[in-house]
Amino acid sequence: DRRGLAEMAGQMAQTPQYGSVEPSAGPAHTVVEPDATQRFKTSRSASNARRYTAVRVGFGLLSTVAAAMYLGGYSRPHHSDTELYHPSANSCGKGCDQVLDDSVGNGTQYDEAMAMSHVRLSEATYCVGSTNPTYWNCTTCDAGVAVDYVIEDNGARVLVGYDSEHEYVFVAFRGSYDVQNYIDDLDALFKAPYKDDKSSANVMAGLWDEYKKLYDDVFTAMQETALAHGTTKLALMGHSSGGGCATLLAFDVARGAVSGFEAKDIKYVTTFGSPRVGDPTFAAEYDAYNLNSARVTHFEDIVPHLPMESLGYQHVTTEIYYNEHSSSYTVCDDSADGEDDDCSNSCSPFSCTSIDDHLSYLKVVIGDAGC
């Protein structure tokens, strides 16, 4: 860590390229600057908009989703309890022979206690819009967590800070503020943002646009927080589209696009109800970094099935699939032949329609209702 921090301090003094960082000077981005005299500081929001409009253009996908929702139906949230619990032993999907102590071949070692910490922090992104300590009092605002930065842009929000219990820098992305609007306005067109690095990987255009407007300030906040706390260890997380942004950030860190960090610094990537981020090429390149990456899904949650595979999308590994009541989970085999059809895909094509399941993960209510 010391060598990485020393290199980071030198790199920050150089003129940044894409993937290093430069604080945004425009009015669209606002970052809460750290203040040595206090642990937290009131953030300045770039927008007072609360309703999240993730993307701009929907196309033929909407009619298919609407048909699936009509045939399958969906309900409002009914999972209201947020207590910790002790689920039954996990099962495994097609890759049972690859699973040992929740560890699978691509580097994922699923730790449910850590996932609980990450889902609680992901929920806190919906509740906390300031680094002022008096605001760190939501249901899932755990002690030992210091929020050093709140970054906001047109309804998107990211918390960056330090977890003293686990001794890592965390980056938590808030998800879709209005899930139904996110589904209705989903921009599933492809974008190829990595051509300069000789990669043909494609990602979802709407998700990339959301991530792009945040990443300069997020990179800066990560560097400053790492320097302040003396560690480059990272935990990246998020719910819904926020999970997709966490995946894009993990990919950038792993490929060396964030100065001062590298793949080995990523201790955890945990997403909850993330949409598909990109095509099979993106999934393969992401998986090749062998990250400790858990893609948590819940029963018939609709969002992990968007955009559809028929449009050329494929999830990254490794799926951790929870049953309806979150009492047990399956470590899925989605590393060899694409996604594991015995996990969340088992409800396809007409039953994967639940917004209810999207708003509850590990029995933690997600969104404003959980605050």
Side-chain angles (χ1 to χ4, degrees):
D1 283 354
R2 293 192 186 95
R3 183 174 63 184
L5 289 168
E7 292 175 353
M8 181 190 305
Q11 290 164 336
M12 288 179 66
Q14 300 174 2
T15 302
Q17 305 296 323
Y18 166 69
S20 70
V21 293
E22 182 176 18
S24 173
H29 301 271
T30 301
V31 181
V32 178
E33 299 295 341
D35 186 338
T37 63
Q38 58 183 8
R39 182 176 176 183
F40 299 92
K41 186 177 180 183
T42 303
S43 68
R44 292 169 289 141
S45 174
S47 171
N48 291 326
R50 292 186 50 116
R51 186 163 298 274
Y52 175 63
T53 309
V55 291
R56 297 163 305 210
V57 181
F59 59 101
L61 175 63
L62 176 57
S63 61
T64 304
V65 172
M69 294 181 74
Y70 175 77
L71 291 170
Y74 68 88
S75 59
R76 299 303 300 169
H78 62 260
H79 303 290
S80 59
D81 44 338
T82 60
E83 75 278 5
L84 295 174
Y85 64 103
H86 302 285
S88 59
N90 66 291
S91 59
C92 57
K94 294 182 294 184
C96 286
D97 57 334
Q98 300 178 9
V99 178
L100 179 63
D101 296 330
D102 294 344
S103 176
V104 294
N106 78 323
T108 298
Q109 298 183 19
Y110 184 61
D111 180 335
E112 190 176 57
M114 190 65 70
M116 175 62 77
S117 174
H118 294 169
V119 75
R120 290 173 65 82
L121 190 48
S122 295
E123 162 56 15
T125 65
Y126 289 88
C127 308
V128 177
S130 171
T131 57
N132 188 312
T134 63
Y135 289 89
W136 191 248
N137 59 0
C138 64
T139 304
T140 63
C141 292
D142 294 330
V145 173
V147 177
D148 295 328
Y149 292 83
V150 174
I151 302 166
E152 296 190 300
D153 188 302
N154 194 30
R157 179 183 294 160
V158 189
L159 304 183
V160 181
Y162 180 70
D163 186 318
S164 59
E165 178 182 354
H166 301 110
E167 298 182 331
Y168 55 55
V169 174
F170 67 82
V171 183
F173 290 85
R174 186 174 73 175
S176 321
Y177 188 77
D178 187 314
V179 178
Q180 189 61 58
N181 278 358
Y182 175 75
I183 294 170
D184 291 345
D185 297 334
L186 188 70
D187 182 357
L189 295 173
F190 275 129
K191 183 182 287 286
Y194 309 112
K195 289 181 178 179
D196 291 345
D197 293 334
K198 313 297 185 190
S199 171
S200 61
N202 292 289
V203 298
M204 191 200 317
L207 187 65
W208 175 260
D209 290 343
E210 177 184 352
Y211 173 67
K212 183 179 179 181
K213 69 187 179 184
L214 297 166
Y215 66 53
D216 279 343
D217 292 336
V218 170
F219 292 174
T220 300
M222 289 167 60
Q223 291 185 326
E224 295 287 356
T225 304
L227 288 170
H229 296 281
T231 183
T232 56
K233 294 179 181 178
L234 292 172
L236 313 177
M237 65 207 72
H239 168 255
S240 195
S241 63
C245 287
T247 300
L248 291 172
L249 177 57
F251 187 64
D252 271 350
V253 171
R255 68 191 187 91
V258 186
S259 296
F261 298 94
E262 52 188 323
K264 69 180 181 63
D265 294 317
I266 301 176
K267 303 308 175 185
Y268 303 95
V269 183
T270 315
T271 68
F272 305 92
S274 171
R276 293 183 176 100
V277 175
D279 64 4
T281 300
F282 174 81
E285 291 185 11
Y286 180 93
D287 295 344
Y289 287 110
N290 206 41
L291 303 177
N292 184 12
S293 182
R295 180 174 59 81
V296 184
T297 60
H298 180 204
F299 199 49
E300 297 181 350
D301 180 353
I302 185 174
V303 173
H305 303 282
L306 303 174
M308 294 179 293
E309 288 180 283
S310 61
L311 296 176
Y313 283 83
Q314 181 178 313
H315 271 302
V316 301
T317 58
T318 292
E319 180 180 6
I320 308 297
Y321 175 57
Y322 276 84
N323 67 357
E324 181 177 11
H325 301 292
S326 296
S327 57
S328 66
Y329 63 86
T330 298
V331 179
C332 307
D333 176 22
D334 51 0
S335 59
D337 301 315
E339 300 174 19
D340 189 341
D341 290 336
D342 293 332
C343 288
S344 63
N345 278 357
S346 62
C347 64
S348 292
F350 298 121
S351 297
C352 308
T353 58
S354 177
I355 293 178
D356 177 352
D357 291 340
H358 186 62
L359 299 177
S360 173
Y361 269 85
L362 279 69
K363 295 189 176 181
V364 173
V365 177
I366 305 294
D368 282 353
C371 296

